[in-house]
Amino acid sequence: MRSLRTGLSLAALFTGAALLFAAPAAHAADTPLRDLAAAKGKVIGTAVTGSKLTGTYGAVAGAQFSSLTPGNAMKWETVEPTQGSFNWSEADQIVAFAQAHNQQVRGHTLVWHSQNPSWLTNGTWTSAQLGSLLQNHISTEVGRYKGEITAWDVVNEPFNEDGTYRSTLWYNGLGANYIAQALTWAHAADPAAKLYINDYNVEGVNAKSTALYNLVKSLKAQGVPVDGVGLQAHLILGQVPATLQQNIQRFADLGVDVAITELDVRMALPADAAELAQQKADFKSVVAACVAVTRCVNVTAWGFTDSDSWVPGTFPGYGAATPYDENYAPKPAYYGIAEALGGTTTTPPPTGACSAAYGVSSQWNTGFTGQVTISCSGASLSSWKATWTYGAGQQITQAWNAACTQSGAAVSCANASYNGSVPDGGSVTFGFNASWTESNPVPVVTLG
């Protein structure tokens, strides 16, 4: 029985939740990434954690992205932690959220050497038993979500860096043919889903990507149902391969789709303005390479916020790898993605150089007067936009020294014609009246 999937009622629940949390106002006036991508014929995605799909995290995921990848929820150790006993709760939650927000789902991953349950990895299996276990797993999982998953990363990370096959439970037990078998079984379970082979360090032309190229070419020649290749793109700052677009194109020329499946760009911490500027250039370069090739169909970030990134736990001393900071404010990398997709954006001033302080100067039983002071030190502004998200239903009724608009909880205030200039070492202030009920928490204001 599907423990958390209740069809329309659950989708409606997520839809209702989305109405409570408008797109975070840090960039509310910008065209959402998903709309920019759609105009280019592309899909922009993010990996997500199901339990976090509420509040601001859920608002950003729903508003900005047109595809979701479960970060861990569809891996074998999660869905079948004990043999024959399945747990679909988080996977169901992500699928329902995506359906409520008109998003695709990218299934990840069916066959991998990592994050398998101990009962599987510690078992002693004949080749026939192992093949039966794998077929049953693929048939069960793909079949459960038949018609609901756009694409599957069927086989993940099959190669070593030199292009030889990785020694894994699957390769050692079934031989290289396990890849063709897995694709065939997945296709039988859902003929409409696009089926991918996914790997890392295959973004540029090298021995590993050439092995993947030759495999896909061979599978196509054999009539095996392989529809695409996934280039993970876990990158290090400043190291986008020069041959990325060339590599994408050569796979496309085989007659398969290409997706950037797990994009992040890690850097040494703490991040500084120069590193963030380079990260913006790196994200822009990767997305632009995909935009340039017709059959590059999807770019997915491996988590959109630094608070949900795998990098610090895996690479000590490194992090800040995603397009949003830990407080869900867009970093320069976000604007790099937007620009590569054809958007026009204004990158905020250097981190910490200009700031906005929100205060309540007076309050009564039905309303309050607030003000925001914008100050600069180490930079100056010729215009500004202050944005925030209310958390308790506050509603602005009047503003002065700024033009303020509010959509749901999201507020955006732009300078009046006479006070857009904020000199280095100076400040400007604007004010407003607003209504409130029950509570009046102070929001975090972001400059854009």
Side-chain angles (χ1 to χ4, degrees), residues 158-166 201 206-212:
F159 290 109
N160 295 313
E161 296 305 301
D162 63 359
T164 58
Y165 283 104
R166 183 191 292 268
N201 288 352
N206 56 36
K208 192 174 187 180
S209 65
T210 297
L212 178 57

Side-chain angles (χ1 to χ4, degrees), residues 250-341:
R250 71 166 175 162
F251 280 108
D253 290 343
L254 287 177
V256 296
D257 291 337
V258 181
I260 307 296
T261 54
E262 305 180 26
L263 176 61
D264 53 25
V265 180
R266 64 185 180 270
M267 64 186 74
L269 298 175
D272 60 29
E275 288 178 316
L276 293 172
Q278 180 62 56
Q279 186 185 52
K280 174 185 177 181
D282 291 345
F283 269 88
K284 185 174 181 177
S285 176
V286 172
V287 176
C290 182
V291 169
V293 179
T294 301
R295 292 202 70 155
C296 186
V297 297
N298 181 312
V299 177
T300 289
W302 201 247
F304 63 87
T305 169
D306 291 341
S307 66
D308 196 37
S309 173
W310 71 301
V311 169
T314 306
F315 301 97
Y318 285 79
T322 77
Y324 287 76
D325 69 18
E326 294 184 351
N327 296 314
Y328 307 112
K331 292 154 56 180
Y334 164 87
Y335 297 95
I337 296 171
E339 289 168 13
L341 294 171

Side-chain angles (χ1 to χ4, degrees), residues 126-215:
T126 66
S127 178
Q129 289 172 329
L130 192 61
S132 179
L133 286 170
L134 183 58
Q135 181 176 10
N136 179 70
H137 174 75
I138 292 172
S139 300
T140 300
E141 184 160 4
V142 177
R144 176 180 182 79
Y145 296 106
K146 182 178 181 180
E148 298 179 303
I149 303 291
T150 301
W152 281 99
D153 292 327
V154 177
V155 177
N156 197 43
E157 302 174 2
F159 290 109
N160 295 313
E161 296 305 301
D162 63 359
T164 58
Y165 283 104
R166 183 191 292 268
S167 177
T168 68
L169 173 70
W170 311 114
Y171 180 78
N172 297 339
L174 300 172
N177 194 48
Y178 83 90
I179 297 173
Q181 290 176 308
L183 291 162
T184 300
W185 292 329
H187 179 71
D190 187 354
K194 298 290 187 180
L195 308 180
Y196 281 68
I197 303 172
N198 189 53
D199 215 326
Y200 66 92
N201 288 352
V202 292
E203 296 76 31
V205 176
N206 56 36
K208 192 174 187 180
S209 65
T210 297
L212 178 57
Y213 175 90
N214 290 333
L215 171 63

Side-chain angles (χ1 to χ4, degrees), residues 222-256:
Q222 297 171 53
V224 175
V226 57
D227 301 297
V229 295
L231 315 181
Q232 290 186 12
H234 292 297
L235 302 176
I236 301 171
L237 190 73
Q239 296 185 23
V240 177
T243 53
L244 173 60
Q245 184 177 326
Q246 174 191 344
N247 194 40
I248 293 172
Q249 187 64 61
R250 71 166 175 162
F251 280 108
D253 290 343
L254 287 177
V256 296

Side-chain angles (χ1 to χ4, degrees), residues 349-445:
T351 302
C354 295
S355 61
Y358 180 106
V360 175
S361 56
S362 64
Q363 182 172 298
W364 55 98
N365 60 343
T366 60
F368 65 97
T369 297
Q371 67 178 31
V372 174
T373 300
I374 298 168
S375 306
C376 289
S377 177
S380 61
L381 297 173
S382 59
S383 63
W384 47 263
K385 179 177 65 178
T387 54
W388 63 89
T389 301
Y390 277 129
Q394 301 98 318
Q395 185 72 38
I396 289 181
T397 57
Q398 179 189 17
W400 50 92
N401 297 335
C404 293
T405 60
Q406 183 169 348
S407 176
V411 178
S412 177
C413 295
N415 61 273
S417 59
Y418 51 82
N419 69 344
S421 178
V422 185
D424 187 357
S427 65
V428 298
T429 299
F430 67 92
F432 53 88
N433 289 327
S435 61
W436 67 289
T437 57
E438 297 185 7
S439 65
N440 189 20
V442 174
V444 175
V445 181

Side-chain angles (χ1 to χ4, degrees), residues 75-88:
K75 293 172 181 173
W76 200 320
E77 72 173 2
T78 302
V79 298
E80 195 180 0
T82 57
Q83 188 172 3
S85 178
F86 293 90
N87 177 7
W88 306 106

Side-chain angles (χ1 to χ4, degrees), residues 88-146:
W88 306 106
S89 59
E90 186 187 1
D92 286 352
Q93 182 181 23
I94 292 169
V95 171
F97 182 96
Q99 291 172 347
H101 292 80
N102 192 30
Q103 294 167 308
Q104 297 180 6
V105 178
R106 183 176 191 88
H108 179 84
T109 178
L110 297 171
V111 189
W112 192 23
H113 65 270
S114 185
Q115 291 187 246
N116 290 313
S118 59
W119 68 262
L120 177 64
T121 56
N122 294 337
T124 301
W125 315 106
T126 66
S127 178
Q129 289 172 329
L130 192 61
S132 179
L133 286 170
L134 183 58
Q135 181 176 10
N136 179 70
H137 174 75
I138 292 172
S139 300
T140 300
E141 184 160 4
V142 177
R144 176 180 182 79
Y145 296 106
K146 182 178 181 180

